Amino acid sequence: VQVMGACGSKGSGDVQRAKLLLLGAGGAGKSTIFKQVRLLALDGFDEQLRSDCVVPIIQNIVDACQKLVKISLKNELPLSSESMVQSDVIRSTRVTSPDEDFTALKEAVKVICSDPQ
């Protein structure tokens, strides 16, 4: 509603539309802007869109954990033997369904994060 108000109309009741071109590198947040406008100004996300977003969100979390493990191993940071085993769990995780059991992944992250070394 605020978006429509900002675009305004010229008294005729017709909604005026403006085109906006956003340029930026991948991962710069171009899509995020439109998702945020939809969430704040329009009707939000329906159930289908929410369920479609679950796998990419979980995969992003897994990707971040995998990068941290990779950096730790590359820089030869000291890890306990248990953390080394759990790093294999993290590195081998692939998300294919929102209904997967992520118990092993959660445990692996917990072990590595609490590693005293």
Side-chain angles (χ1 to χ4, degrees):
V1 176
Q2 292 173 348
V3 172
M4 300 306 271
C7 293
S9 64
K10 300 219 177 195
S12 65
D14 294 333
V15 175
Q16 298 216 343
R17 295 182 184 210
K19 291 186 178 185
L20 176 65
L21 173 64
L22 290 179
L23 301 174
K30 299 175 296 291
S31 297
T32 304
I33 291 172
F34 289 104
K35 289 176 187 172
Q36 192 68 22
V37 167
R38 183 178 187 175
L39 181 64
L40 295 175
L42 301 175
D43 58 352
F45 299 111
D46 61 16
E47 282 304 313
Q48 180 62 43
L49 186 56
R50 285 179 197 224
S51 67
D52 290 346
C53 291
V54 171
V55 169
I57 289 170
I58 295 171
Q59 187 61 56
N60 285 343
I61 294 168
V62 169
D63 290 346
C65 291
Q66 289 171 338
K67 286 176 185 175
L68 290 172
V69 166
K70 183 178 178 181
I71 290 167
S72 296
L73 296 174
K74 179 181 177 184
N75 292 310
E76 299 178 2
L77 299 176
L79 293 174
S80 68
S81 58
E82 178 62 18
S83 289
M84 291 298 289
V85 170
Q86 297 302 330
S87 72
D88 289 337
V89 172
I90 292 172
R91 288 187 293 175
S92 65
T93 299
R94 298 289 175 265
V95 181
T96 58
S97 164
D99 301 321
E100 290 180 53
D101 181 8
F102 295 103
T103 305
L105 177 65
K106 290 179 198 175
E107 185 60 32
V109 171
K110 191 183 301 184
V111 168
I112 290 177
C113 287
S114 63
D115 190 334
Q117 297 188 24

